[in-house]
Amino acid sequence: MRYLAFILAAITSAEMQAFQLAPRLVVNITIDQLRSDYIEAFTPLYTTGGFRRILREGLIYDGAAYPFSPVDRASATATLTTGAAPYYHGIIATRWLDRETLQPVFCVDDVKHGSSPQRMKTSTVADELKISTDGAAIVYSFSANRETAILSAGHAADGAFWIEKHEGWKGTSFYPNTPEWLKGYNKTVSKKPNGSSTNTNDAVVDASLQAITSASMGKDDISDILYISLSAAKADGSPVTHWQTEMESVYMQLDNTIERLINGIEKQISLDQVLFVLTSTGYAEESATDLSKYRIPTGTFYINRTANLLNMYLGAIYGQGRYVEQTYGNQMYLNHKLIEQKRVGMSEILSRSQEFLIQNAGVADIYTSDRLLAGNFDILKYRNGFHPTLSGDITIEVTPGWKLLNEDTQQSYTSRAGFVPFPIVFMGAGIKAQHISKPVTADCIAPTVAKAIRIRAPNACNAGPLF
């Protein structure tokens, strides 16, 4: 019996040590459009406590990417918090077309609450933390934009807050009431953010530090999570034309902001009890250039005209009708009721549409819903970015260098298949500094954080932790 008591005591001690090793505070920093090449280019201009410190003390995965395409701010944020692709979490973009109304919807719009994460179909790391602690963990999210604030926070957070220009911090009734400390903070902030990325980044960090202080985050043995969304975009939000001159001040200011954030947290909590996670949304908005000026192959693909031609083509085969009901972005939404009335199989319609569309100038590839649902490995990234009930029936990949234009809605973009390099960084909580060059995907962040704080990964996460 005495030996059994010793064994039980040893097991209990080991369990307690493992529990105590879990960080008390996880600080998730997502920087919109952050790029590794820009970080490296401006390194000589940094202070010692911002990017330099992260590069010196962090565990850095240099070759990060998202496991789906296309990527934007909303879809990236949802993947970072759920550990899943849009195929599962349902945030396929910041906006998409509602099949019932054929009108665009915003990813966090909510009729009852104004804004909520209800369109996100899976749990997040923060949700799982709330479940595992019976609601005792503290979870807050701060961002300049409501979609990143809400999608980071998840369904069960204490609050998600974003900046309304010239008004201050705002939340949504979906979460518990705005805490008194934030109401007071809103009143005491003398200078409202003016909308520039520099001013806004500082405002996000100030409010985040206030949350740690006022909500006593990281003060007990239950892990808390703070989501912070910053921006590495130009101050006026316009696309980058000459990055060497336009981005220098952006990255220098961002460096100062990160230094202030780390120092502010370090004053309140020992950094061996804080896990910092820093990454990017993994895309970049670049200005459209007239490539013909430089004799580079280019052209314009008119998706509205092409939809009309496809309607004529299908009408000649199956009888007149509006087979393509609407277009949005690079997607076509078919009229399912009409196709059913014609007693034609959807697979047949999709096959004929693919054969017709691929012959158009400026089309690199056609992804039908049938083809994507087949899940072939060679198009897995496109399948991961697709959702069966939300996405269009036909997705058109425009040839790189070509412009897609919808003359009816004036939507346009220039196709570019270029890779946007960005890092995933873990720092603090006893993590040893290291640079790892192997390719990794951003959906691995959620299970890595979940493992670090001893909870289950989100319910649609099938990626493994990075360490």
Side-chain angles (χ1 to χ4, degrees), residues 69 75 85 105 111 297 382:
S69 182
S75 59
V105 295
V111 174
Y382 293 97

Side-chain angles (χ1 to χ4, degrees), residues 3-311:
Y3 291 114
L4 181 59
F6 280 133
I7 292 171
L8 290 173
I11 292 173
T12 302
S13 175
E15 288 179 342
M16 287 301 295
Q17 288 176 356
F19 179 75
Q20 290 167 359
L21 287 172
R24 292 185 173 184
L25 178 64
V26 178
V27 181
N28 285 271
I29 308 167
T30 302
I31 305 179
D32 188 37
Q33 301 185 58
L34 181 74
R35 298 179 59 126
S36 297
D37 47 355
Y38 291 1
I39 294 174
E40 295 168 2
F42 303 121
T43 297
L45 307 175
Y46 299 148
T47 63
T48 58
F51 282 125
R52 282 180 185 268
R53 182 172 184 180
I54 288 172
L55 296 173
R56 183 176 66 250
E57 299 180 12
L59 169 58
I60 302 168
Y61 292 86
D62 295 316
Y66 280 85
F68 64 91
S69 182
V71 179
D72 73 355
R73 186 164 61 199
S75 59
T77 301
T79 291
L80 293 173
T81 56
T82 64
Y87 185 85
Y88 295 103
H89 63 59
I91 305 299
I92 57 175
T94 302
R95 289 179 174 84
W96 60 83
L97 204 68
D98 183 278
R99 281 189 173 273
E100 296 298 322
T101 65
L102 296 180
Q103 295 297 315
V105 295
F106 191 73
C107 59
V108 294
D109 275 352
D110 184 303
V111 174
K112 181 179 179 181
H113 300 284
S115 302
S116 84
Q118 291 293 67
R119 297 184 193 273
M120 188 160 59
K121 301 177 183 298
T122 65
S123 70
T124 67
V125 172
D127 293 339
E128 296 294 340
L129 178 60
K130 280 289 190 179
I131 293 169
S132 69
T133 62
D134 196 24
I138 303 170
V139 177
Y140 282 115
S141 175
F142 293 89
S143 174
N145 308 289
R146 65 183 174 118
E147 69 269 27
T148 47
I150 291 170
L151 296 174
S152 294
H155 305 85
D158 296 284
F161 305 102
W162 62 92
I163 297 171
E164 288 291 337
K165 192 174 181 180
H166 303 303
E167 293 182 19
W169 290 99
K170 184 177 180 179
T172 166
S173 61
F174 178 84
Y175 300 107
N177 294 332
T178 302
E180 292 300 321
W181 61 262
L182 186 59
K183 292 179 182 177
Y185 176 76
N186 240 350
K187 293 177 181 178
T188 59
V189 176
S190 58
K191 185 178 180 181
K192 303 298 182 186
N194 61 16
S196 72
S197 61
T198 298
N199 186 280
T200 299
N201 284 340
D202 287 339
V204 171
V205 165
D206 289 342
S208 301
L209 292 174
Q210 186 64 45
I212 295 173
T213 302
S214 300
S216 298
M217 300 182 75
K219 300 300 184 184
D220 55 26
D221 291 332
I222 298 175
S223 298
D224 301 320
I225 297 184
L226 177 64
Y227 287 97
I228 301 172
S229 298
L230 305 176
S231 174
K234 288 170 59 178
D236 60 2
S238 63
V240 176
T241 303
H242 305 290
W243 70 267
Q244 295 94 332
T245 55
E246 293 176 305
M247 300 307 293
E248 179 180 304
S249 62
V250 172
Y251 275 73
M252 287 177 64
Q253 290 292 338
L254 190 56
D255 175 62
N256 290 326
T257 300
I258 292 171
E259 179 180 33
R260 201 157 55 80
L261 172 64
I262 295 173
N263 290 343
I265 292 174
E266 193 170 21
K267 290 177 182 177
Q268 302 186 57
I269 309 168
S270 174
L271 290 195
D272 62 358
Q273 296 175 333
V274 180
L275 173 61
F276 288 94
V277 185
L278 183 145
T279 193
S280 168
T281 49
Y283 74 100
E285 293 181 351
E286 299 178 349
S287 61
T289 303
D290 182 6
L291 299 180
S292 62
K293 180 180 177 181
Y294 303 97
R295 298 194 293 273
I296 298 172
T298 185
T300 300
F301 174 79
Y302 297 94
I303 191 168
N304 58 306
R305 299 183 191 180
T306 306
N308 291 335
L309 290 173
L310 180 58
N311 275 327

Side-chain angles (χ1 to χ4, degrees), residues 353-376:
S353 298
Q354 182 177 359
E355 291 173 2
F356 174 81
L357 292 170
I358 199 64
Q359 300 177 53
N360 285 262
V363 174
D365 208 342
I366 301 294
Y367 302 99
T368 65
S369 55
D370 275 3
R371 185 183 176 194
L372 292 169
L373 288 171
N376 296 328

Side-chain angles (χ1 to χ4, degrees), residues 343-413:
R343 298 187 178 183
V344 183
M346 179 60 74
S347 293
E348 182 180 336
I349 292 286
L350 290 172
S351 178
R352 284 189 178 274
S353 298
Q354 182 177 359
E355 291 173 2
F356 174 81
L357 292 170
I358 199 64
Q359 300 177 53
N360 285 262
V363 174
D365 208 342
I366 301 294
Y367 302 99
T368 65
S369 55
D370 275 3
R371 185 183 176 194
L372 292 169
L373 288 171
N376 296 328
F377 185 78
D378 60 328
I379 58 170
L380 189 59
K381 286 191 72 169
Y382 293 97
R383 182 263 194 187
N384 284 342
F386 166 84
H387 193 279
T389 62
L390 302 174
S391 300
D393 301 286
I394 300 170
T395 301
I396 300 168
E397 182 185 357
V398 179
T399 302
W402 276 62
K403 177 181 179 181
L404 181 144
L405 173 62
N406 188 326
E407 295 166 302
D408 297 333
T409 63
Q410 292 305 304
Q411 280 186 303
S412 69
Y413 71 88

